[in-house]
Amino acid sequence: MSVVWPAVRLQFQLLRTSNDYLLELVRAPILGLVLLALAAYHDRPDLVPNAVVAPVMVALWGTGLLAAGELIDVDRELGLLEPLIATPAPFPSLLLSRVAATSALNGVVLAEVWLVAAATGAPISVRHPLVFVGALVVTAFAMVAASLLMATLFLATRTALPFQNSLTYPLLVLGGVFVPVDSLPGWLQPLGRLVFLSWSSDLLRASLRPEPVAQPLARMGVVIGLGGIALGIGLLVLRRVLRRVRADGSLRLT
Amino acid sequence: MTHPAVLTENLTRVYAARRSATTVTALDSVSLRIEHGEVHGLLGPNGAGKSTLMKLLSTVLLPTSGRAEVCGHDVVTATKAVRPLISVVFGGERGLYPRLSARQNLMYWAALYGVCGRVAATRVEELLDRFDLRDRASDRVETYSAGMRQRLHLARGLIGNPRVLLLDEPTNALDPAAALRLRQTITEIAAQGRTILIATHDMHEAEHICDRVSLIDHGRLIATESPHALVTRVQVPTLEDAYLSLVGPSS
Ligand SMILES: Nc1ncnc2c1ncn2[C@@H]1O[C@H](COP(=O)(O)OP(=O)(O)OP(=O)(O)O)[C@@H](O)[C@H]1O
Ligand SMILES: [Mg+2]
């Protein structure tokens, strides 16, 4: 029994009616424009990859976090969570499919940012296409996994918003989205290396620079590994949380 | 079939209150047997435990003690077998995506019951016809009247072809004519051999559509019989009088 495609279709239908996600599509090119202007003003063409990668990663993290919080919260508020759990459909597959569908938005963000870069005449080109595509794929996987883990967290705690707000910027900094983790204070660096965003950002930036990329496969492996860990923990916790809400009757909002 | 549609034995559910030592016994040792094709009413004051019983049967809540079966499958140990057989419909606004159309809502719900592709599309159109929603099937649900929404709820409840339909106050927002139509539909559904458990505060409704009713108060089952037998036993003219004399005017 496959609920993957119906869940993806549902998510696209819902996305079309939601303004929250639209906001990401508006914010990303503006952020790109600002960062590209900074690089141009200071005459630092070497920073153009940073200016292009940052808005994409910000949007990726933003939509991932939004999806994680929204899927559960909106369903719960609409009174859908209980009838949903009562169906034979596997809840984790539903969540994963819907989060994955949402992450497809980031393809649009990528295109937007690229167009902005092209329109402003920023010197940008993909020097290592295989690394670039590979990094995008493993990043999408890790983001979906991270979203599932966070959605599970939100289901367990019954509050998404405070988490969403407090997870946004710290993780973007820790994840080396604007500046590489290597330039963070030394004591923060090991922490940043635990966040897949840091490996993804470094890889994407490197794929846009002329210098050869060191150990691309190993670094992609790290992203997959971190994503796999998040997925494993997410699925495990989800099973327990689903059991727990059935036991204590906390599935309903009120 | 030798197994009844629904069977409970000393079914008990205790809720622990958050941040306090007090507990609420929402359902207290309820034993109930409902045969296939029966329309069974759950009556009782607010907080009696009707919804709790529905949740236990629909596997979204675990019993504290006792047991429950749907078509012979235990709701705790055989959850996977129970879920395809049941469907829950709550009254009111909740339970649908308001920004999607009736058709989109139903197609999604069909998939959750493993009904996909052309079979799903056919069944969705049948249900849209049957519940008089065809003309507005592509409009957003948020633009529907309460009555249309209620009919859509029922269509959603039937999309998985359940053996047992759990209806929690399905007619609470309907005008008298719409409520009447819904009652007729419920009777039709039962005539197809489906079992219906319906919680309601409408004694008139219960009297007309239920083969038997169960009266619950403070989590305890105080009577299970046909509306007629109950009225006769308590020696009052209507089910409402019987309810009031058994449960008390205020509780
Ligand atoms: N999740 C919960 N946590 C704690 N107590 C709960 C919970 N759900 C229900 N209760 C309590 O259990 C009792 C039975 O509630 P239930 O919702 O089953 O009643 P009901 O018969 O459906 O009432 P109504 O007619 O108002 O819908 C009530 O005292 C209620 O406060
Ligand atoms: Mg109730």
Side-chain angles (χ1 to χ4, degrees):
Chain A
M1 179 176 69
S2 176
V3 292
V4 173
W5 169 237
V8 167
R9 189 180 55 193
L10 174 92
Q11 194 57 26
F12 281 143
Q13 289 165 346
L14 290 174
L15 282 176
R16 289 223 308 256
T17 70
S18 162
N19 298 325
D20 297 341
Y21 295 93
L22 229 62
L23 198 67
E24 297 287 348
L25 295 186
V26 175
R27 186 163 62 180
I30 295 175
L31 182 59
L33 204 60
V34 170
L35 295 177
L36 284 166
L38 275 174
Y41 179 76
H42 292 287
D43 197 19
R44 291 283 303 274
D46 58 311
L47 286 183
V48 167
N50 297 53
V52 172
V53 168
V56 176
M57 298 303 278
V58 170
L60 179 92
W61 186 245
T63 51
L65 209 52
L66 190 61
E70 268 220 341
L71 295 193
I72 303 265
D73 252 21
V74 170
D75 277 17
R76 174 156 40 201
E77 248 151 60
L78 292 175
L80 279 157
L81 223 41
E82 277 187 342
L84 208 61
I85 300 289
T87 69
F91 191 68
S93 314
L94 280 179
L95 257 188
L96 275 175
S97 314
R98 292 180 60 188
V99 169
T102 307
S103 76
L105 272 185
N106 298 304
V108 180
V109 168
L110 184 67
E112 281 181 339
V113 173
W114 216 262
L115 280 177
V116 166
T120 55
I124 184 86
S125 68
V126 180
R127 303 303 181 101
H128 309 281
L130 282 179
V131 176
F132 182 72
V133 172
L136 285 178
V137 171
V138 297
T139 300
F141 163 74
M143 189 65 239
V144 170
S147 288
L148 178 86
L149 180 58
M150 290 185 294
T152 304
L153 216 75
F154 300 156
L155 182 65
T157 55
R158 295 158 58 96
T159 39
L161 212 61
F163 279 103
Q164 275 176 331
N165 288 337
S166 56
L167 279 177
T168 307
Y169 282 98
L171 264 287
L172 287 177
V173 173
L174 263 186
V177 164
F178 294 100
V179 291
V181 166
D182 293 342
S183 53
L184 290 179
W187 59 275
L188 266 182
Q189 288 182 19
L191 220 57
R193 284 294 166 214
L194 289 177
V195 183
F196 79 91
L197 292 171
S198 66
W199 300 85
S200 296
S201 304
D202 283 352
L203 265 175
L204 284 170
R205 283 189 290 256
S207 74
L208 302 176
R209 296 205 162 99
E211 302 85 40
V213 184
Q215 295 183 301
L217 285 179
R219 290 158 74 184
M220 284 180 214
V222 173
V223 178
I224 294 178
L226 289 171
I229 292 171
L231 186 65
I233 298 176
L235 289 173
L236 206 75
V237 175
L238 185 55
R239 267 178 56 173
R240 287 180 167 226
V241 170
L242 286 177
R243 180 90 192 169
R244 204 202 72 201
V245 293
R246 284 172 69 207
D248 65 14
S250 58
L251 206 54
R252 225 173 55 175
L253 190 67
T254 48
Chain B
M1 261 182 261
T2 53
H3 295 291
V6 171
L7 183 72
T8 74
E9 280 172 1
N10 300 318
L11 191 62
T12 301
R13 172 67 210 201
V14 178
Y15 289 109
R18 284 170 182 276
R19 283 186 275 278
S20 97
T22 59
T23 57
V24 178
T25 304
L27 214 57
D28 194 354
S29 200
V30 167
S31 299
L32 197 61
R33 183 187 173 98
I34 303 173
E35 298 301 335
H36 292 271
E38 181 174 335
V39 179
H40 194 99
L42 279 183
L43 313 179
N46 296 126
K50 304 180 296 295
S51 298
T52 299
L53 176 57
M54 300 259 179
K55 286 178 192 177
L56 289 168
L57 292 176
S58 62
T59 77
V60 299
L61 192 65
L62 297 173
T64 307
S65 64
R67 51 192 299 276
E69 277 181 6
V70 173
C71 302
H73 303 288
D74 190 286
V75 296
V76 177
T77 57
T79 311
K80 275 211 170 79
V82 172
R83 287 181 177 167
L85 301 173
I86 49 123
S87 180
V88 236
V89 173
F90 301 104
E93 305 284 296
R94 312 178 65 192
L96 297 161
Y97 286 108
R99 289 182 183 172
L100 300 189
S101 70
R103 192 176 277 119
Q104 288 170 331
N105 270 288
L106 288 178
M107 282 301 285
Y108 176 58
W109 222 263
L112 299 182
Y113 282 90
V115 185
C116 291
R118 200 166 293 167
V119 182
T122 312
R123 199 179 289 180
V124 165
E125 297 309 316
E126 272 170 18
L127 285 169
L128 287 171
D129 271 340
R130 173 158 174 202
F131 288 97
D132 219 1
L133 291 165
R134 170 60 72 86
D135 296 342
R136 300 281 306 277
S138 307
D139 296 349
R140 283 186 180 196
V141 169
E142 64 190 1
T143 68
Y144 288 12
S145 71
M148 295 171 68
R149 230 168 282 185
Q150 217 80 350
R151 297 205 297 277
L152 180 56
H153 271 295
L154 213 53
R156 198 210 71 196
L158 288 172
I159 195 88
N161 200 13
R163 304 288 312 141
V164 178
L165 194 57
L166 307 170
L167 305 176
D168 201 348
E169 301 184 34
T171 54
N172 62 2
L174 300 188
D175 70 59
L180 178 67
R181 272 208 305 276
L182 202 67
R183 273 178 231 144
Q184 287 166 346
T185 312
I186 289 171
T187 312
E188 280 167 31
I189 295 168
Q192 298 169 331
R194 291 183 225 274
T195 308
I196 295 174
L197 189 58
I198 176 172
T200 181
H201 291 294
D202 186 336
M203 295 304 134
H204 180 73
E205 172 173 286
E207 200 159 7
H208 278 81
I209 62 171
C210 296
D211 300 308
R212 289 193 306 157
V213 293
S214 284
L215 231 71
I216 301 182
D217 191 18
H218 290 97
R220 285 177 196 273
L221 190 62
I222 49 181
T224 297
E225 49 203 310
S226 75
H228 180 72
L230 196 62
V231 165
T232 312
R233 180 164 67 84
V234 187
Q235 295 185 315
V236 286
T238 65
L239 186 61
E240 182 163 6
D241 298 314
Y243 173 93
L244 289 174
S245 101
L246 287 171
V247 173
S250 63
S251 78

